[in-house]
Amino acid sequence: MSITWSESTVTEPVGGIPALGAAPFSQWREAVRWAVLGELEDFLLRACPRPLHRLGAHDVLRQYATGGKCLRSTFMYLGWLCGGPDDPAALRAAAGLELLHAFALLQDDVMDRSATRRGAPSAHVRFARAHRGMGAPGSSTRYGESAAILLGDMCLVWAEQMLRESGLAESALAHAWPRYDNMRVELATGQFADLLNDARTEPALASVLAIARVKSGNYTVRCPLEMGAAMAGCDAAVLDALGRYGAAVGEAFQLRDDILGIFGSQAVTGKPADGDLGERTATSVVVLAREMAAPSARTELSRLLHRLHLGPAEVDRARMLIIESGAPERIETMIADLLACAENALHTANFSAPMRAALKHMATACTERVA
C-alpha cells in the first residue's frame, strides 16, 4: 500500500482516515493502522539494502514491523491529536514506533530462543534455515541469531530516521527527543532486568511488575502518548493525565499478556502455548500463584518449574495449579482496578469527548485482547 501525502499543513482528515469521532472508533483505528502500514511498507522498500532482500530480510521485516496491531503508533498519533490537527507528518512519525517495536521483538526472540512469532518461524530460525539452504560454512544457529540481532539494530536506526524525516517541524521534534531517548533507555534497562527474571528464583510480585512496566507497559502506552502530546504542544495538565492513564493501561496490558502467556491458544497468539511456563518466566500470574496457593500446591508448582523440561502433561498440571490458586481471578481484578484508574485520569484534563471515547476504546483493546 502506497500513500502520498501533501507537504502543506493538513486540517482535513489524513489519507482516508476519518476525523476522530466522525465514524465508529473501530473504523478510525483500522484506517490509522492501514495508513501506518502503508508508511512502513514505503519506507522499508527504500531503506532495506538490496543485498539483504536476497537473504530474506525484507520478508522478516514485514513479519515483525507490519504484522501487528500498531498499538504504539496509534497511541502516539492519539497523543498528537490531543493538541494538534490531523497531520500526515505526525502519522509518519508515529509509524516509526513500529520499527522500534520490531527491534525489541527481534531481540526478545533471540534472548528467549522463541521458535515462532505471529504464527510463523521467528527471525533467527528463518535466517538459520536460509544459511543451511545456502550450504554456507559455520553454525547455522549462530548465523541466524547474529543476523536477527543485526536486523534489529537496523530497525532501531530506522525508527529514529522515520521520526527525524517525518516532516514535523524541528520545534515539535525537539519536544520528543528527550522522551524518545528515555523510552529507549528504559526499554533496554527492562530487558537487562528481564535477563535475571526466572520463576525458579521466586521474585516478589512488586519486582516482576516493575520490570513489566519498563520492558513493555510504558513503551506500549504511556511513552507514545506523551511523545505525541509533547510534539503537539499540549499543556502540563494534559501530559500529566495522559501519563497516569498510560501508566495504568500499560500495566494492565502487560497483565493481560501474562494471562495469555499461560492460557492463550497458540493458534490465536502465534506464540508457543507453553512459552512462559517452559521458559520459567516469572510473570505476575506465576508469582501470584505461588503466593496464593496452598502449601502442598505451592511445593508441587515449584517442583514443576525446576524441571529441566516440561512436557504437555506437566504444562497442563502447572496450569491447573495456577487456576486452583485463584491467581488468574486476582489478575483480572487488578486489570479492572487499573482500567478504573485510567478512566479517572481522563477526567483531570480538558479532553474532547471524541478523544476521551477513543482512549477508553484503546484501553479496552489493550486489556480484552486474545492475542
Side-chain angles (χ1 to χ4, degrees), residues 113-317:
R113 298 178 181 176
S114 300
T116 60
R117 171 63 62 181
R118 292 172 175 160
S122 52
H124 62 279
V125 173
R126 294 177 69 165
F127 283 129
R129 289 178 181 175
H131 183 271
R132 283 191 292 271
M134 291 184 289
S139 166
S140 294
T141 298
R142 182 68 174 161
Y143 169 85
E145 292 172 346
S146 300
I149 290 170
L150 288 170
L151 191 61
D153 291 343
M154 289 183 173
C155 287
L156 183 61
V157 173
W158 289 333
E160 181 173 324
Q161 184 181 347
M162 280 197 79
L163 178 58
R164 189 176 62 249
E165 298 177 356
S166 63
L168 284 176
E170 288 295 329
S171 57
L173 292 175
H175 293 295
W177 293 125
R179 295 177 183 276
Y180 194 47
D181 290 340
N182 289 338
M183 176 177 66
R184 289 180 292 181
V185 171
E186 188 178 62
L187 171 59
T189 302
Q191 292 280 44
F192 260 111
D194 201 40
L195 291 173
L196 297 175
N197 182 18
D198 193 307
R200 290 167 289 190
T201 66
E202 302 191 18
L205 179 62
S207 173
V208 169
L209 292 178
I211 292 173
R213 289 187 197 105
V214 297
K215 180 175 180 284
S216 177
N218 285 349
Y219 108 98
T220 297
V221 186
R222 181 179 64 81
C223 294
L225 272 171
E226 290 176 336
M227 279 180 61
M231 290 190 302
C234 290
D235 61 29
V238 169
L239 285 166
D240 179 70
L242 289 176
R244 287 186 287 117
Y245 162 93
V249 174
E251 185 169 340
F253 170 87
Q254 184 56 48
L255 291 176
R256 175 60 62 207
D257 204 54
D258 290 350
I259 290 284
L260 293 173
I262 302 292
F263 302 105
S265 165
Q266 182 171 353
V268 177
T269 65
K271 294 183 283 188
D274 62 348
D276 282 355
L277 289 173
E279 294 294 329
R280 283 80 170 176
T281 306
T283 65
S284 59
V285 187
V286 174
V287 172
L288 264 179
R290 268 189 165 146
E291 290 182 2
M292 298 174 64
S296 60
R298 185 183 307 124
T299 299
E300 184 180 358
L301 181 58
S302 180
R303 188 166 57 246
L304 285 169
L305 292 173
H306 276 79
R307 290 193 178 185
L308 290 176
H309 173 73
L310 292 181
E314 288 85 2
V315 169
D316 286 344
R317 180 56 183 162

